Amino acid sequence: MSLFPPSLLPPSTLPDDLVLRPLHTEDLQLGHLDVLSVLSPTPALSPAQYTAIVQSMLARPDTYYPLVVFSPSSNKILACATLIVERKFLRGGGLVGHIEDVAVSQLAQGKGLGKVLVVALARLAESLGCYKCILDCSQDNIPFYEKCGFYQKEYEMVQYF
Ligand code: ACO
């Protein structure tokens, strides 16, 4: 099952041997968590746990848009990123897109996949009616996001629990 309709996506700019598509329920078996582990600790999930997370996202329609790059030849997810759409009271109930958890598997980095994902999610945010799209990143990744059309504004603040 697809987490959101593929028809919402802009046309893919990937090479023909790769597929840009919404996350599928079966992507646990295709290495989704292995890809995320390049970004942050990603402990294994059982299929039931993974499905419960997917269901919790599906229960919040118009909010979660997880996107992946899939390689049919290796039957593996190579890269992933998620758009989360937030409804505001301000701006007449405006929408803000948040890009989260951008990760490209080690061997696939530097081949343009991260940029394809981020640009596609920003275009998706725009087409869904968001008035802006934002993300947090490390200093090291600023040049990457600038290549994706973002610019630096404000500061990130955090509390960990
Ligand atoms: N410094 C300078 N330029 C960079 C960097 C960098 N660190 N990373 C990429 N670029 C440039 C590339 O040279 C390329 O330039 P070009 O368009 O002129 O050729 C452009 O940015 C696009 O690069 P991609 O090949 O698309 O980058 P990649 O597929 O490797 O994805 C990413 C970049 C996501 C940072 C990847 O390296 C990765 O997964 N890193 C580890 C996890 C991580 O840090 N994720 C981001 C967390 S922030 C968040 O999730 C909101």
Side-chain angles (χ1 to χ4, degrees), residues 35-40 79-82 98-106 108-118 134-148:
V35 175
L36 281 172
S37 69
V38 304
L39 173 61
S40 200
C80 60
T82 297
H98 300 260
I99 292 181
E100 288 283 337
D101 298 348
V102 181
V104 179
S105 70
Q106 207 81 50
Q109 288 180 10
K111 297 177 178 174
L113 305 188
K115 185 174 174 182
V116 166
L117 281 169
V118 171
I134 58 179
L135 58 87
D136 295 324
C137 73
S138 66
Q139 182 97 22
D140 285 352
N141 281 333
I142 288 174
F144 164 68
Y145 287 109
E146 287 175 338
K147 293 270 171 94
C148 298

Side-chain angles (χ1 to χ4, degrees), residues 75-130:
N75 204 31
K76 288 276 180 207
I77 303 296
L78 299 184
C80 60
T82 297
L83 173 72
I84 299 163
V85 175
E86 174 200 5
R87 170 72 69 183
K88 295 279 192 190
F89 281 103
L90 49 74
R91 297 228 182 197
L95 299 173
V96 173
H98 300 260
I99 292 181
E100 288 283 337
D101 298 348
V102 181
V104 179
S105 70
Q106 207 81 50
L107 288 176
Q109 288 180 10
K111 297 177 178 174
L113 305 188
K115 185 174 174 182
V116 166
L117 281 169
V118 171
V119 169
L121 289 182
R123 292 290 68 77
L124 177 59
E126 184 180 23
S127 70
L128 292 170
C130 295

